[in-house]
Structures are given as structure tokens and as C-alpha cells.
Amino acid sequence: MTELLAVVAITLFAVISPGPDFAMVSRNSLLLSRRTGVLTAIGIAAGVCVHVAYTLLGVGLLIQQSLWLFNLIKLAGAAYLIFLGIKMLRAKPAADEESICQPALSSLGALRTGFLTNVLNPKTTIFIVSLFMQVVQPQTPLVVQIGYGAFIALAHALWFGAVALFFSTPAVRDRLLAVRHWIDRVFGGLLVGFGMLLALTQQTR
């Protein structure tokens, strides 16, 4: 029971902590559509499943022990965030209301964006690997560990799904869409900042 409570508490704290996932979901929900935001959230949950899978397979321990591999993941994640951020920073004012509301991502594109944002985030790697290596006991049955992983993925899906619903409500969107290019630039700056932090700390864990 103590182990379960620890997993739940640590997971909830980690999920609600601001980061690239939050920035991406809130941006897509606010500036594109509710559907895009929710699909981005589902993509994030899918990325979490990848982290859980390689951790249960023992690859997480290899990543934890191999500095060069860990830094390679960090650099890949940093490059992806900076790439997305620069695209957002180049946003220009929309010519008309129709272009403001026009979705810029397909369903697959939204899923891919959420998935890559999470799966390339080394902070998620650290969180899940550390959780399973330090909190979950070695004698815990595999089926229970898989259950923990499912809970972690579900927690991400529910939290970021709620974020998507909030930022896509008409009351929020109607007030902010007129300055969508500035919002895009703010979120772009945040992603570039997250990416730079990852790149500049590549030699430490």
C-alpha cells in the first residue's frame, strides 16, 4: 500500500509540473482546436507508454548508467523543442478570422507532436526510470508494475486532456485568439527555453 501511495503521489506531482507537454497541449488547444489539444494529450500518454516499456525491459537502467546515451537523448529532445519553438516564434498575425480558426495540424500530426514532445523529453525518462528503480520494489509482480505504468499514462492523458478542454473553451479562446501570433511566440519562446536548458545541462544528471 505504501508503494502504491508513493507511485500515485509522485506521478500526480510530476504530471502537473509545468513543462514542454503543458506548453504544447495548451498552445494547440488554444490556437487550433479542442480536438487537436486532446489528440496532443493522447500522443503524450503514448510517449509515456514508451518510457514505461523500455524501463520494464531494463533499457532504462542502461540509459541511467550510460552518460553518452542519456546526453544523446537530451540533445535530441532539445533540438526538437527548439525546432518547434522557432516555428512558433515566426508566427505572423492572421489575415482574417477564418485563417485564425483554421486548424494547422491533422489528427495524426497532433498525435505525433504530443508523442515526440514527451518521448524525447529526458525529464520524463528520469522520472519514470527513477520511480521504477527507487520506489517500486524488485519483488513487486510484473503485472503490478505494468499496472503502475498504465496509471502513469492514464494520469497524463486525463490531466492534459483537462488542460486541452480548459484552453479550448469559447470563453478563453474568444478573448485570446485575436492576439494568437503573440501567444504563439510566447509558447515558442518557452519551448526554445526548455530546449536550451536541456542542451546546456547535457553533461549532468
Side-chain angles (χ1 to χ4, degrees):
M1 181 61 69
T2 301
E3 180 182 274
L4 174 61
L5 292 177
V7 170
V8 171
I10 294 172
T11 297
L12 294 180
F13 178 78
V15 169
I16 65 176
S17 298
D21 292 341
F22 183 88
M24 187 58 63
V25 171
S26 52
R27 181 263 177 187
N28 284 354
S29 304
L30 179 62
L31 301 185
L32 300 178
S33 69
R34 173 168 294 181
R35 175 182 174 83
T36 301
V38 171
L39 287 172
T40 303
I42 294 174
I44 288 171
V48 171
C49 291
V50 172
H51 291 292
V52 171
Y54 68 63
T55 299
L56 292 179
L57 290 172
V59 179
L61 181 62
L62 173 62
I63 295 174
Q64 188 179 50
Q65 298 299 321
S66 176
L67 183 62
W68 73 267
L69 181 57
F70 182 82
N71 282 334
L72 180 63
I73 295 173
K74 273 197 166 187
L75 288 176
Y80 180 69
L81 293 178
I82 292 173
F83 167 74
L84 291 179
I86 290 176
K87 287 180 64 177
M88 294 180 193
L89 286 171
R90 297 174 62 186
K92 298 179 180 180
D96 50 47
E97 185 176 353
E98 180 180 355
S99 61
I100 288 178
C101 300
Q102 183 178 358
L105 276 179
S106 64
S107 296
L108 180 60
L111 286 169
R112 182 174 59 247
T113 298
F115 177 79
L116 291 177
T117 300
N118 183 272
V119 83
L120 293 176
N121 186 354
K123 289 186 177 180
T124 308
T125 300
I126 295 172
F127 156 58
I128 293 180
V129 171
S130 298
L131 183 67
F132 278 88
M133 298 296 175
Q134 300 177 20
V135 177
V136 179
Q137 300 299 314
Q139 63 267 26
T140 299
L142 179 60
V143 66
V144 175
Q145 296 190 41
I146 293 175
Y148 289 157
F151 167 75
I152 296 171
L154 180 61
H156 279 77
L158 292 178
W159 168 252
F160 289 113
V163 170
L165 294 178
F166 172 77
F167 279 99
S168 61
T169 56
V172 175
R173 297 187 79 231
D174 291 347
R175 293 188 178 190
L176 298 176
L177 278 179
V179 290
R180 65 161 291 168
H181 60 290
W182 288 112
I183 297 172
D184 231 350
R185 291 172 183 175
V186 169
F187 282 117
L190 288 174
L191 290 180
V192 170
F194 285 132
M196 292 298 294
L197 284 175
L198 289 179
L200 292 175
T201 59
Q202 62 174 310
Q203 295 301 321
T204 60
R205 283 188 280 174

